[in-house]
Amino acid sequence: MDIAHRVKVDDAISDHYTLENGTPQGSSLSPLLFLIMVNDFPELSTHTSKALFADDSTIWRSGNNLPHIMHHLQSDMNLVAEWCNKWGFKINTKKTVGIIFSNKTNCGNPIIHINNEKIQFVDSVKMLGINLDRRLNWRLHIQSIVNACSQCLNIIRLLSGTSFGSSKRALLLVYRGLIRSRMDYGCFLFKDSAKSNLQLLDTLQYKALLACSGAMKGTSLSNLLSECGETSLSHRRYEFFEKFLARIKHSSKSPFSAIFEEKKLSL
């Protein structure tokens, strides 16, 4: 039985519309049905990797010969587009972008088409909350973390009054939920970033712990960490990195397991 849908915006109501494909958003069965639907995602050419997270998909390839890489990626995109057309998936070419990670200033004019539409190549892209720039120096991503957490830092300052403010325990809960969680997300990816970049996060942590503890300006970061029961961000980054390596080492289904074996990483 077909189910008709209507959309209401203020006082305006659309005509009835019957969905021909798709699953109800929020339904407990929808994720399982979607996984079944994408189970036969096409196998790509050798040395081309893929990663899927729900309906977000990424394919990539590395090498020194850019025309050779573009040729194989175009063939892989043709396979993906053919599979999507067969099963009723629509690729949003306006949201589909390409990026070349390289230290070279000029990488030519790469061209890849999806259903005869040229996709745009950009200098930075956001993937699952991680900002990737073409040089992978992580400056853009770290700056975005600082910008987002600066607003949360103002919340801690508002709650930390000398006579009316919240307790140190409550302020630390706010810090861990709103600021530290953002700095922890994917932190092991940029653990080897430039010292000047990581210093931005250390400064942010210092300001947050200073407000939470009510300590005097000039108190060392090490003393603040001890007072608040926290560890340094560098220590947390290596801790998350070790946990990540342990997971992919014991998971044969991880897209990084092949790299793990190739490099013979060990804990």
Side-chain angles (χ1 to χ4, degrees), residues 32-41 83 86-89:
L32 176 60
L33 294 176
F34 185 82
L35 289 176
I36 295 174
M37 191 68 183
V38 301
N39 187 56
D40 63 339
F41 193 85
W83 178 84
K86 177 181 178 181
W87 295 113
F89 289 101

Side-chain angles (χ1 to χ4, degrees), residues 3 23 33 55 57 60 66 101 116 124 137 164 175 182 190 214 222:
I3 301 177
T23 58
L33 294 176
D55 58 344
S57 58
W60 66 92
L66 185 59
F101 299 108
N116 297 324
S124 63
N137 58 23
F164 62 86
Y175 158 73
R182 284 185 168 93
F190 51 84
S222 59

Side-chain angles (χ1 to χ4, degrees), residues 21 45 175 205 250:
N21 56 15
S45 58
Y175 158 73
Q205 184 190 39
H250 297 91

Side-chain angles (χ1 to χ4, degrees), residues 6-257:
R6 303 180 73 180
V7 178
K8 180 179 180 181
V9 179
D10 294 330
D11 296 331
I13 302 178
S14 68
D15 297 332
H16 286 87
Y17 181 80
T18 302
L19 294 178
E20 297 179 356
N21 56 15
T23 58
Q25 186 173 1
S27 172
S28 59
L29 192 59
S30 295
L32 176 60
L33 294 176
F34 185 82
L35 289 176
I36 295 174
M37 191 68 183
V38 301
N39 187 56
D40 63 339
F41 193 85
E43 289 294 330
L44 305 180
S45 58
T46 307
H47 305 306
T48 298
S49 303
K50 64 177 183 290
L52 286 84
F53 184 82
D55 58 344
D56 290 330
S57 58
T58 304
I59 66 172
W60 66 92
R61 190 182 182 96
S62 62
N64 297 321
N65 191 327
L66 185 59
H68 179 77
I69 293 174
M70 291 296 108
H71 171 75
H72 284 283
L73 286 180
Q74 182 63 70
S75 299
D76 294 325
M77 284 306 308
N78 292 339
L79 290 175
V80 174
E82 182 181 354
W83 178 84
C84 290
N85 294 332
K86 177 181 178 181
W87 295 113
F89 289 101
K90 295 182 180 179
I91 302 177
N92 191 335
T93 53
K94 294 182 179 180
K95 293 184 178 181
T96 303
V97 296
I99 183 171
I100 299 176
F101 299 108
S102 174
N103 290 325
K104 296 181 180 179
T105 56
N106 184 12
C107 294
N109 184 29
I111 298 177
I112 290 183
H113 293 86
I114 300 178
N115 293 327
N116 297 324
E117 291 189 40
K118 182 180 177 181
I119 68 171
Q120 180 185 7
F121 275 80
V122 296
D123 293 330
S124 63
V125 64
K126 190 172 185 179
M127 180 179 175
L128 300 179
I130 302 293
N131 292 282
L132 303 174
D133 58 273
R134 64 184 304 271
R135 294 186 181 274
L136 288 180
N137 58 23
W138 300 105
R139 180 76 179 189
L140 177 64
H141 180 67
I142 291 176
Q143 189 60 56
S144 68
I145 296 176
V146 174
N147 294 338
C149 292
S150 295
Q151 300 179 4
C152 302
L153 182 59
N154 291 332
I155 297 176
I156 294 179
R157 287 170 175 166
L158 288 174
L159 296 175
S160 59
T162 55
S163 58
F164 62 86
S166 302
S167 64
K168 183 179 72 173
R169 179 177 178 274
L171 294 175
L172 286 174
L173 287 176
V174 176
Y175 158 73
R176 291 162 184 160
L178 298 182
I179 296 181
R180 195 182 72 177
S181 59
R182 284 185 168 93
M183 294 191 292
D184 283 347
Y185 180 69
C187 62
F188 58 86
L189 295 173
F190 51 84
K191 69 179 183 64
D192 294 323
S193 182
K195 186 176 179 180
S196 58
N197 294 337
L198 300 178
Q199 185 63 40
L200 296 174
L201 299 177
D202 292 335
T203 301
L204 178 64
Q205 184 190 39
Y206 177 83
K207 292 179 179 179
L209 296 182
L210 192 70
C212 291
S213 63
M216 296 178 59
K217 291 184 178 180
T219 305
S220 66
L221 178 58
S222 59
N223 288 337
L224 287 177
L225 292 172
S226 177
E227 175 67 22
C228 299
E230 289 289 320
T231 57
S232 65
L233 295 179
S234 60
H235 177 81
R236 294 184 65 83
R237 284 190 287 268
Y238 276 97
E239 182 181 357
F240 279 106
F241 181 58
E242 290 177 352
K243 290 180 179 179
F244 173 73
L245 292 181
R247 284 198 301 269
I248 64 176
K249 183 178 181 180
H250 297 91
S251 175
S252 59
K253 296 182 179 180
S254 172
F256 301 99
S257 58

